[in-house]
Amino acid sequence: DSGVTQTPKHLITATGQRVTLRCSPRSGDLSVYWYQQSLDQGLQFLIQYYNGEERAKGNILERFSAQQFPDLHSELNLSSLELGDSALYFCASRDHTGASGEQFFGPGTRLTVL
Amino acid sequence: GESVGLHLPTLSVQEGDNSIINCAYSNSASDYFIWYKQESGKGPQFIIDIRSNMDKRQGQRVTVLLNKTVKHLSLQIAATQPGDSAVYFCAENGDNQGGKLIFGQGTELSVKP
């Protein structure tokens, strides 16, 4: 158990819909990263938040957005869903106080768009 | 276009043998590298990391080798066990800021008892 929690574990929805994925980082970790893992693209970095502020952006579509709240949990919002958005979505958190750059991954949310 | 599944490289080894998983990274400016193990239905799990000022680092049954000249990383697993069966990803920190990770495509390790 990494200490990172994600809900829901599974999500099935229809094209055009909007969903929200939730992540709670490890206690004390200020950074949250979101990654998408699809069959044809592997693990792709989407976005990072650090202590409530957006820090880095990767291959994130304009239909997707995220935020980090004062209690450090984060939400990833996916809208106008398309079939190709079906994937595993992972969040990871990191402790910036030590030398290690290790990111601790949650169990993921499996999104299926029908 | 039609999506196709990633055809992961596969390594099949006998239980007790040593395994070597290779990875080529893309950015010569990357200064931090990490290996993750992902079992089916789970999130990636940290194995070992290495900074660019080192060329070798050892953990418990695992060793990571870094060759910056050819931008190559390898993971050696000693005395491979059935529980080591998983997909292994190397990752680099790419932009040296914030710590986003750029993942390789992964290698599937299959351990035969």
Side-chain angles (χ1 to χ4, degrees), chain B:
Chain B
E2 186 177 338
S3 294
V4 293
L6 272 179
H7 295 287
L8 293 178
T10 301
L11 176 65
S12 184
V13 301
Q14 205 69 38
E15 181 179 0
D17 287 351
N18 296 334
S19 303
I20 300 176
I21 300 171
N22 296 302
C23 174
Y25 64 92
S26 58
N27 190 342
S28 56
S30 294
D31 65 356
Y32 178 75
F33 305 87
I34 192 166
W35 280 97
Y36 280 94
K37 170 187 180 183
Q38 187 177 22
E39 296 173 288
S40 181
K42 297 185 177 180
Q45 178 187 359
F46 172 86
I47 302 173
I48 192 167
D49 58 2
I50 189 168
R51 294 208 171 268
S52 60
N53 60 353
M54 303 173 69
D55 52 22
K56 180 178 179 179
R57 190 164 188 225
Q58 288 184 292
Q60 189 175 19
R61 281 200 309 120
V62 293
T63 301
V64 55
L65 299 177
L66 174 62
N67 185 331
K68 295 182 285 295
T69 303
V70 295
K71 292 191 288 186
H72 184 268
L73 203 62
S74 69
L75 176 71
Q76 300 177 359
I77 305 174
T80 316
Q81 302 167 0
D84 294 327
S85 294
V87 177
Y88 289 80
F89 293 95
C90 67
E92 60 184 294
N93 72 336
D95 64 359
N96 302 325
Q97 297 173 7
K100 74 174 187 184
L101 294 174
I102 300 169
F103 282 83
Q105 67 172 3
T107 295
E108 184 170 6
L109 175 65
S110 175
V111 182
K112 295 175 286 188

Side-chain angles (χ1 to χ4, degrees), chain A residues 72-91:
Chain A
L72 301 178
H73 91 271
S74 177
E75 293 181 356
L76 179 67
N77 301 296
L78 314 177
S79 61
S80 302
L81 285 167
E82 302 175 0
L83 296 178
D85 298 327
S86 295
L88 271 167
Y89 291 85
F90 289 103
C91 84

